[in-house]
Amino acid sequence: MKRVRLDKILGNMGYGSRKELKKIIKHGLIKVDGEVVKKSSIHVNPYESIIEINGEIVEYREKIYIMMNKPKGVISATYDNRHNTVIDLLEEKYLSFNPFPMGRLDIDTEGLLIITNDGKLSHDILSPKKHIPKTYYAHIRGEVKEEDVEAFKEGIILDNDYKTLGSHLEIEESGEVSKINLTIFEGKFHQVKRMFEARNKKVLYLKRIAMGRLRLDDNLELGEYRELSDQELDLLKSSIAK
Ligand code: URA
């Protein structure tokens, strides 16, 4: 990487506006390679130099990867004029990365959502050609039976005559309200709801629990999020078939 202006590096990482950073730098709060710097215009290679703010080392990165347990009532988009979006739930420090949700969950769907600014990875994960599995846990009105498992394995004809790829349905409990896990290998609009509708059943509750090899962290409460660990990012990346 080339050398970049110090205030640009710190600004991109959400440490403040140019004006704010100028002040911080003037106050002598920033060190580069152990030396206090007083000019925001100096050029630094953030991968080679050690930058400290108030004694804390800045871990430079250009990409961010966040796992969120999406709650109901928020939209998987960067902007909406009626509802809060998943981006509105993020701390300010992430906003300078221009993050966006990797794919969509319906407003009433909960669970695993990756939020990132990595357009290439997002494109690969969502590519219809890659068939990345997505697993959902759901409550279904109506008795889900073995014949549904077989039909889902075969592929389901949706309301627009599209036949889905074969999917993997697991029944946890069958009854007036059934509890199931379903893994699908594509991502058509409202796909899970429409697959059950085609079987005359209604999805009452829907939560995504896995995308590729990456599973939702059970410790995240609804609306909570955290950055992916390096291992989790590797898991996600390794889900893409070559
Ligand atoms: N299928 C749906 O019907 N809704 C979602 O949010 C995700 C998959």
Side-chain angles (χ1 to χ4, degrees):
M1 183 174 177
K2 285 194 307 215
R3 290 152 85 88
V4 182
R5 273 180 71 114
L6 182 59
D7 54 0
K8 186 155 197 289
I9 294 169
L10 296 172
N12 286 349
M13 290 196 60
Y15 282 101
S17 65
R18 270 209 171 169
K19 212 166 149 196
E20 288 161 343
L21 286 163
K22 200 168 181 182
K23 265 197 202 153
I24 297 174
I25 291 170
K26 262 207 167 147
H27 278 94
L29 297 176
I30 303 206
K31 285 184 183 171
V32 175
D33 295 327
E35 303 278 335
V36 171
V37 292
K38 287 283 170 90
K39 267 193 175 167
S40 45
S41 61
I42 66 159
H43 283 62
V44 175
N45 180 334
Y47 290 112
E48 286 175 0
S49 287
I50 296 174
I51 304 173
E52 287 169 74
I53 298 194
N54 250 339
E56 208 176 281
I57 293 182
V58 172
E59 277 199 43
Y60 185 70
R61 64 242 159 97
E62 285 162 27
K63 299 277 186 276
I64 49 156
Y65 304 91
I66 292 170
M67 168 191 290
M68 178 181 282
N69 185 359
K70 178 195 169 296
K72 286 187 180 139
V74 295
I75 305 254
S76 310
T78 47
Y79 173 77
D80 190 84
N81 53 15
R82 284 203 306 142
H83 296 95
N84 268 346
T85 71
V86 291
I87 303 300
D88 294 325
L89 298 181
L90 297 180
E91 281 165 88
E92 182 140 358
K93 68 174 183 182
Y94 290 117
L95 302 185
S96 56
F97 287 92
N98 293 322
F100 55 85
M102 192 183 270
R104 284 175 176 251
L105 290 176
D106 296 338
I107 188 164
D108 57 350
T109 302
E110 297 177 355
L112 177 62
L113 188 70
I114 305 298
I115 298 173
T116 184
N117 59 349
D118 188 336
K120 163 91 173 69
L121 181 64
S122 179
H123 178 267
D124 286 349
I125 293 282
L126 298 176
S127 163
K129 288 190 204 122
K130 305 275 185 192
H131 304 308
I132 306 292
K134 295 173 204 95
T135 302
Y136 296 85
Y137 168 76
H139 296 173
I140 309 294
R141 181 152 64 219
E143 221 175 310
V144 180
K145 299 188 188 143
E146 211 38 49
E147 61 207 51
D148 296 306
V149 175
E150 287 309 311
F152 274 58
K153 201 189 282 176
E154 229 349 83
I156 298 283
I157 298 176
L158 299 181
D159 43 24
N160 58 351
D161 291 337
Y162 172 78
K163 185 173 181 198
T164 70
L165 296 174
S167 59
H168 182 68
L169 175 62
E170 241 178 51
I171 304 171
E172 273 191 16
E173 262 179 58
S174 183
E176 237 170 79
V177 173
S178 302
K179 297 181 179 170
I180 62 96
N181 289 292
L182 175 65
T183 301
I184 59 176
F185 298 87
E186 56 202 325
K188 302 289 176 206
F189 187 60
H190 297 326
Q191 182 162 340
V192 176
K193 292 174 185 164
R194 288 164 70 207
M195 287 172 83
F196 279 100
E197 262 159 35
R199 303 288 300 167
N200 288 318
K201 295 181 174 71
K202 186 169 165 56
V203 173
L204 300 175
Y205 169 79
L206 188 60
K207 174 180 187 173
R208 182 156 64 196
I209 53 176
M211 236 175 138
R213 296 179 179 150
L214 181 67
R215 285 191 71 85
L216 177 66
D217 177 348
D218 290 337
N219 295 315
L220 285 179
E221 299 287 337
L222 285 170
E224 284 186 348
Y225 59 87
R226 64 164 173 78
E227 291 188 44
L228 291 188
S229 67
D230 291 346
Q231 289 90 326
E232 286 171 330
L233 181 58
D234 285 346
L235 273 181
L236 187 63
K237 288 184 172 169
S238 70
S239 308
I240 302 165
K242 293 287 176 272

